[in-house]
Amino acid sequence: MDTKIHILPEELCNKIAAGEVVERPSSVVKELLENSLDAGATDILIELEAGGKRLIKLTDNGCGMNRQDAFLSFERHATSKIRSDSDLFALTTLGFRGEALASIASVSRVQLNTCDNDDGLGQQIYAEGGKIKNTAEAGLPRGTMIEVRNLFFNMPARKKFLRREQTELGHAADVVTKQALANPAVSFRLKHNDRMMLELRREKGLQERVAALLGRSLLQDLLSVDLQGDDDLCLTGLISQPQLTRSAASHIYTFINGRYIRDRVVQHAVMDGYRHLLMKGRYPVVVIFLKIDPAQVDVNVHPTKHEVRFREQALVHDFIAHGLQQTLRPAQWIEKGEEDSDVGKVNVTSAQAFSTDTGHRPLAAVREAPVEYSLPEESKQQEASHGLPIDQYEIAACNDSLPAEIKLQDSQYVLPGSEQRGFFSGLQLLGQYHQSYILCQDSADLILIDQHAAHERVGFEKLRHAYAAGTIPSQTLLFPEVLELDFNSATALGENQDELASLGFDIEPFGGKSFALKAIPQLLGNKDAVKLVVDVALELERIGRAGQLRESIDEILILMACHSVIRANQSLAPVEIKALFQELDQIDFKANCPHGRPILQRMTLSEIERLFRRH
Ligand code: ADP
Ligand code: MG
């Protein structure tokens, strides 16, 4: 009888399996690196051509394979690493599925040279699309060399999904970075089109490796973690102090039993460890290694082994979160954060100060008022460095003499300069709430303005205009600052010099992954410039991968605006508010604000009366 169902040929099975394991050149690099590390290699050379699309070549000094093993290694479900299902929960190796080489071979042309002895008796195997075409014996050093050419040569549909060379190289460098962090004692070299891109010698420990990979200057802001928990749990690594942050989570590296994992539970635990310490949208730099009884974790939930399942999810989460909290505890602001976490607590300091009836005290009181709300040290510094430039705002920041044009009227300041006011300038200022919101009255309505959002919007408009008009004016730094970046950010900066120049930065390569920052956009206070450039580099990298720098320029301008302006939690003098309002009046609010955050909320009198049941 005819059947509708048939068993697929082996070759097709391998191609299907390859679909899961091999997405792009970096996935091949990952699998080959895992094999070399499992083979005990201490020296690994990775050579790529055309971002790995043309060639991926790995040479290691690991244990190598004998003739039979070399043949078997191309078979699907062929592995030396496990024998029975119980081994799945006692894994000590990175690989175990026995399908990587078979999958890779099925979608490329592979040359394997391997030797498991010091007598030079080596094996060579050449395969195309998974079929062995050629074998030979040859004199070889101990270790293994694998060349993977023309990835997806027999899967044109897949090949179309590959991105440009630099993007693929970036992904591959990411993979190398992760393995290099996990294995400081192994030397890694990455070559691209014959150029040495990364050269990492064997190191004694994680610190040196982090310095070589992410920049030595980072070390001073990293704390080391070394915690032993119950149940065989152990956490080690380096984490950033709250003042060192990134605009993306891409510098959070988490490893479980030596394996890089991007796990939701672990990520959440890390951010939980930093609760109250970071501003929204900021992420720490974290390289942590969790050791856990292999029986407590299932790594066989995803073909690329990037995700795991914990038996005791909550236990692991809390161990990591508390571990980080404990390590960060000496940072004095953490206690404040806990005290002040009551939601809805009203800080009336500023509003009260405004309503005092002497001319001089109130402003001084506002300025000296303790920071009521806990903020990471970083943002406090930012505030300090981003106060409004005095020259820009008349007498803005001087608090010892209250400007004469500000008149006290029924506990309210009335803004001066009534001639042809715009909407904002026409508002009646009531005060400042929680050092973050400006309270105003518009006829009978109460208006709340988010001061940070408002400043950001003003800064963004200025930058957008300047950018559209040609270039953003820049200011030369008296002392150029040297930045050390990781591989991908450095590549992104290197590739986007022109774009950065039109954004007002002058950045010159300074050897390796370092750059000299010589000029920055005028709008910025220079204190924060290095941090901004690192953020811009991250953003460029993200956007660059998507290949849409031009369209995404707004994102970068927002980032810059965000760095250039006043934060929340800063008391503002009435003149400063007035100046802000004048600038807001210049903005065409019909234009789309890419941030999408409102800067103003209105409450009508009847809404307020309803709150008090007056109706
Ligand atoms: P897995 O790593 O899951 O076992 P692979 O398909 O990646 O499966 O590799 C199959 C086998 O080939 C491995 O189990 C290992 O014995 C051998 N092998 C692969 N690469 C190397 C290498 N670089 N050095 C020594 N042995 C290797
Ligand atoms: Mg493997």
Side-chain angles (χ1 to χ4, degrees), residues 35-36 39 60 63-65 73 78-81 95-101 144:
N35 283 347
S36 295
D60 71 41
C63 65
M65 288 177 265
S73 71
T79 179
S80 57
K81 297 167 193 174
F96 59 87
R97 298 170 63 101
E99 57 181 7
L101 279 187
T144 302

Side-chain angles (χ1 to χ4, degrees), residues 441-453:
Q441 189 174 328
D442 179 28
S443 310
D445 296 351
L446 179 66
I447 306 284
L448 285 160
I449 294 164
D450 179 333
Q451 71 188 45
H452 177 84

Side-chain angles (χ1 to χ4, degrees), residues 257-516:
N257 292 344
R259 189 190 302 280
Y260 173 81
I261 296 287
R262 201 171 171 84
D263 182 74
R264 231 170 13 89
V265 175
V266 175
Q267 289 267 327
H268 188 273
V270 168
M271 291 314 286
D272 221 22
Y274 279 88
R275 200 165 42 175
H276 300 312
L277 296 180
L278 303 180
M279 298 223 306
K280 215 166 149 237
R282 303 299 304 183
Y283 300 86
V285 177
V286 167
V287 185
I288 48 168
F289 299 87
L290 180 74
K291 273 220 189 81
I292 180 172
D293 175 0
Q296 292 295 318
V297 58
D298 188 355
V299 279
N300 188 27
V301 291
H302 194 269
T304 62
K305 300 164 284 185
H306 263 160
E307 286 166 30
V308 292
R309 205 171 289 139
F310 295 107
R311 248 179 222 178
E312 305 261 11
Q313 184 166 309
L315 192 106
V316 173
H317 178 278
D318 294 351
F319 177 64
I320 297 174
H322 294 159
L324 297 201
Q325 277 161 16
Q326 229 173 65
T327 310
L328 292 162
R329 186 157 294 273
Q332 18 78 353
W333 49 85
I334 196 164
E335 268 79 28
K336 266 201 223 156
E338 278 158 9
E339 263 168 39
D340 276 0
S341 57
D342 321 359
V343 185
K345 186 173 167 184
V346 179
N347 169 8
V348 286
T349 326
S350 328
Q352 281 170 342
F354 270 123
S355 65
T356 326
D357 56 1
T358 63
H360 295 245
R361 247 189 24 172
L363 274 177
V366 172
R367 296 208 159 261
E368 283 156 24
V371 180
E372 282 263 305
Y373 184 77
S374 120
L375 258 190
E377 204 57 34
E378 170 195 30
S379 46
K380 284 184 203 163
Q381 283 163 7
Q382 278 170 354
E383 282 165 24
S385 65
H386 283 303
L388 297 175
I390 287 180
D391 54 357
Q392 213 171 320
Y393 291 145
E394 305 157 78
I395 21 177
C398 50
N399 48 16
D400 45 3
S401 67
L402 198 66
E405 72 266 35
I406 294 171
K407 298 170 210 100
L408 221 51
Q409 242 187 27
D410 297 339
S411 309
Q412 293 165 353
Y413 284 114
V414 177
L415 288 166
S418 51
E419 65 287 345
Q420 47 143 253
R421 288 168 174 174
F423 168 77
F424 286 96
S425 303
L427 294 171
Q428 193 178 19
L429 179 62
L430 304 177
Q432 198 188 11
Y433 167 70
H434 211 289
Q435 300 194 331
S436 301
Y437 300 94
I438 302 165
L439 300 181
C440 299
Q441 189 174 328
D442 179 28
S443 310
D445 296 351
L446 179 66
I447 306 284
L448 285 160
I449 294 164
D450 179 333
Q451 71 188 45
H452 177 84
H455 268 110
E456 203 168 77
R457 185 66 204 271
V458 167
F460 172 72
E461 285 306 321
K462 281 187 192 163
L463 285 167
R464 187 151 71 170
H465 275 113
Y467 185 79
T471 55
I472 294 173
S474 68
Q475 110 199 33
T476 308
L477 294 178
L478 200 52
F479 304 103
E481 298 217 42
V482 174
L483 340 157
E484 291 175 283
L485 299 171
D486 67 303
F487 178 82
N488 279 324
S489 303
T491 314
L493 271 200
E495 279 186 349
N496 291 291
Q497 302 260 309
D498 292 348
E499 202 54 48
L500 284 161
S502 59
L503 288 169
F505 294 97
D506 180 5
I507 301 172
E508 276 180 18
F510 200 67
K513 295 176 265 115
S514 300
F515 288 83

Side-chain angles (χ1 to χ4, degrees), residues 539-555:
E539 191 66 19
L540 284 172
E541 184 200 329
R542 195 183 63 73
I543 295 167
R545 284 192 183 181
Q548 44 181 235
L549 183 61
R550 283 269 151 198
E551 301 90 274
S552 304
I553 205 73
D554 275 359
E555 306 277 321

Side-chain angles (χ1 to χ4, degrees), residues 167-280:
T167 307
E168 296 300 342
L169 173 64
H171 287 294
D174 269 348
V175 167
V176 178
T177 300
K178 285 161 190 163
Q179 289 294 9
L181 285 171
N183 299 281
V186 176
S187 107
F188 292 84
R189 281 167 300 156
L190 171 64
K191 258 187 180 176
H192 184 238
N193 297 345
D194 272 336
R195 241 186 84 204
M196 191 62 82
M197 309 300 283
L198 208 58
E199 199 164 8
L200 303 165
R201 46 190 188 115
R202 290 176 209 172
E203 303 284 5
K204 280 198 290 298
L206 180 64
Q207 292 225 356
E208 289 79 15
R209 189 44 62 88
V210 166
L213 270 172
L214 308 178
R216 180 156 295 276
S217 56
L218 224 64
L219 289 184
Q220 71 201 40
D221 290 323
L222 295 179
L223 297 168
S224 80
V225 183
D226 195 351
L227 297 155
Q228 183 68 50
D230 308 332
D231 316 302
D232 284 337
L233 279 175
C234 161
L235 188 70
T236 55
L238 294 169
I239 64 171
S240 61
Q241 296 188 36
Q243 73 267 21
L244 174 68
T245 61
R246 296 284 184 254
S247 60
S250 53
H251 284 126
I252 300 179
Y253 297 97
T254 53
F255 300 83
I256 295 169
N257 292 344
R259 189 190 302 280
Y260 173 81
I261 296 287
R262 201 171 171 84
D263 182 74
R264 231 170 13 89
V265 175
V266 175
Q267 289 267 327
H268 188 273
V270 168
M271 291 314 286
D272 221 22
Y274 279 88
R275 200 165 42 175
H276 300 312
L277 296 180
L278 303 180
M279 298 223 306
K280 215 166 149 237

Side-chain angles (χ1 to χ4, degrees), residues 108-154:
S108 65
R109 301 188 168 99
V110 176
Q111 173 75 46
L112 167 71
N113 292 1
T114 186
C115 173
D116 73 334
N117 55 73
D118 290 322
D119 306 325
L121 301 172
Q123 307 296 327
Q124 296 185 323
I125 299 179
Y126 176 72
E128 258 184 28
K131 287 206 184 74
I132 294 182
K133 298 269 176 181
N134 225 329
T135 67
E137 302 206 324
L140 294 170
R142 185 196 285 267
T144 302
M145 188 285 300
I146 299 191
E147 270 179 7
V148 177
R149 284 185 191 277
N150 313 112
L151 189 63
F152 300 135
F153 80 99
N154 53 355

Side-chain angles (χ1 to χ4, degrees), residues 567-587:
R567 304 272 162 187
N569 299 91
Q570 180 164 326
S571 56
L572 293 176
V575 244
E576 290 175 313
I577 294 174
K578 176 197 162 201
L580 172 64
F581 282 3
Q582 281 170 350
E583 293 195 293
L584 283 170
D585 283 329
Q586 314 276 310
I587 294 175

